[in-house]
Amino acid sequence: EMFRSVYRSGYLNGARYCLVGTRLNIADLYRRFGFCEIGERYLDDISGNMTVVKLDLHDRQNLERARSPLLTVYDELISQNRERTRA
């Protein structure tokens, strides 16, 4: 639910991308939500092996391809936006 809330908040506040610096051992968690690894991996003195992952909040095809749980939130937000523009 935390991922959904953060996604919804970012989308509604005009964000296009979400960037996260994460430890390599939990990067797969982000991939399940549709994040893609970008740039080079690096070693942080405190956290260890790190990578940066990125999510395009407006890329429905990527969310669908990843079978992301965020896809339902995206569709909900798009539906609400269409309803507002009709009114």
Side-chain angles (χ1 to χ4, degrees), residues 36-51:
C36 300
E37 192 172 337
I38 60 169
E40 295 182 24
R41 295 176 176 184
Y42 62 97
L43 180 62
D44 181 80
D45 292 340
I46 297 171
S47 299
N49 291 316
M50 302 285 290
T51 189

Side-chain angles (χ1 to χ4, degrees), residues 4-16 57-58 73-74 76-81 84:
R4 288 182 180 95
S5 294
V6 170
Y7 179 89
R8 183 178 287 109
S9 177
Y11 190 97
L12 291 173
N13 285 289
R16 178 66 197 217
L57 278 63
H58 298 258
V73 178
Y74 175 88
E76 172 190 309
L77 292 168
I78 292 299
S79 176
Q80 289 172 359
N81 190 39
R84 270 182 263 165

Side-chain angles (χ1 to χ4, degrees), residues 6-65:
V6 170
Y7 179 89
R8 183 178 287 109
S9 177
Y11 190 97
L12 291 173
N13 285 289
R16 178 66 197 217
Y17 300 103
C18 178
L19 297 170
V20 178
T22 184
R23 295 177 64 174
L24 286 179
N25 62 341
I26 60 170
D28 283 342
L29 171 66
Y30 287 96
R31 285 187 197 94
R32 282 183 270 182
F33 283 88
F35 284 79
C36 300
E37 192 172 337
I38 60 169
E40 295 182 24
R41 295 176 176 184
Y42 62 97
L43 180 62
D44 181 80
D45 292 340
I46 297 171
S47 299
N49 291 316
M50 302 285 290
T51 189
V52 176
V53 292
K54 173 183 167 184
L55 178 68
D56 182 339
L57 278 63
H58 298 258
D59 187 349
R60 188 185 193 285
Q61 289 179 335
N62 178 59
L63 295 173
E64 192 171 29
R65 189 172 37 253

